[in-house]
Amino acid sequence: FVDGGGGAGELELRVGALLEAFATVLPVVDKLGPSLFLAIWNDEGNHKKLRRSWEKQRDQQIALTPNVEPHRCASVRGLLEIEAASGMHKAGGVLADPSAAIALLWMRRSLQFLTHLLHGLCDADATPSAAARAADGVHLEAYHGWVLKQSYNVALNTMPRRDEVMQRLYPRVPPV
């Protein structure tokens, strides 16, 4: 993060740092068990979309202004502004796919899902399946078509037992 100079203490989020941070989240989802393979596959895909878009824009910016540092697309705001100015997105908020904007949108939704799920697991009586279904219902389900809803429903209902999930998340803590 750097001071973006946008006023009122606004911070600028760097794309590279965001990609690194999101990459550290993927192993956490993996530890929740193989039932979340669809989520992991989706997260990896969005990570790649964001990286490709960023690298493409960065390379174009460097070619246009080789002596200017830092490049506009180094920040999330700058990257999204470049995409918007290119006309790649449609009116009414319809985002192009692939794009950094659509990848960031789904990465945010995925992080909200994971945060909700992990908070749900703080309840000692909650099962991983129940916590995952609750998180899905709030953060993802509305954006899925019928087939994906059914696939997630099956996957979330087949999550490992709570003790197994907790052991995967906290391997150094002895089971209670």
Side-chain angles (χ1 to χ4, degrees):
F1 303 105
V2 297
D3 183 351
E10 184 177 313
L11 294 179
E12 204 171 73
L13 184 58
R14 298 304 214 171
V15 179
L18 181 64
L19 284 164
E20 287 177 30
F22 194 75
T24 66
V25 172
L26 295 173
V28 174
V29 179
D30 189 45
K31 295 225 184 268
L32 294 170
S35 300
L36 292 179
F37 77 94
L38 287 173
I40 293 169
W41 178 72
N42 185 59
D43 290 347
E44 288 172 343
N46 285 312
H47 191 264
K48 287 176 188 170
K49 281 182 197 178
L50 177 58
R51 180 171 294 285
R52 282 189 203 121
S53 178
W54 175 52
E55 289 172 348
K56 175 184 172 189
Q57 295 300 335
R58 183 192 61 201
D59 292 349
Q60 288 176 354
Q61 290 290 308
I62 289 170
L64 293 172
T65 55
N67 298 322
V68 177
E69 224 16 84
H71 296 285
R72 185 172 171 213
C73 66
S75 73
V76 170
R77 177 186 299 256
L79 179 57
L80 294 175
E81 287 173 348
I82 290 168
E83 277 192 358
S86 77
M88 70 187 302
H89 304 299
K90 293 187 169 81
V94 179
L95 301 176
D97 191 6
S99 68
I102 196 77
L104 286 164
L105 174 63
W106 278 103
M107 289 166 75
R108 179 189 59 101
R109 289 175 179 162
S110 180
L111 287 171
Q112 289 176 309
F113 166 81
L114 179 61
T115 301
H116 191 140
L117 190 160
L118 292 173
H119 277 283
L121 288 175
C122 291
D123 178 354
D125 295 327
T127 65
S129 289
R133 282 194 311 275
D136 181 60
V138 172
H139 301 289
L140 301 176
E141 186 178 39
Y143 307 105
H144 291 162
W146 186 85
V147 171
L148 200 50
K149 283 180 185 179
Q150 300 311 309
S151 299
Y152 263 78
N153 190 39
V154 169
L156 299 180
N157 283 325
T158 59
M159 287 188 67
R161 294 181 331 270
R162 178 184 174 75
D163 59 336
E164 186 180 338
V165 167
M166 298 310 269
Q167 190 61 38
R168 287 178 182 193
L169 287 171
Y170 308 103
R172 293 189 182 114
V173 176
V176 219

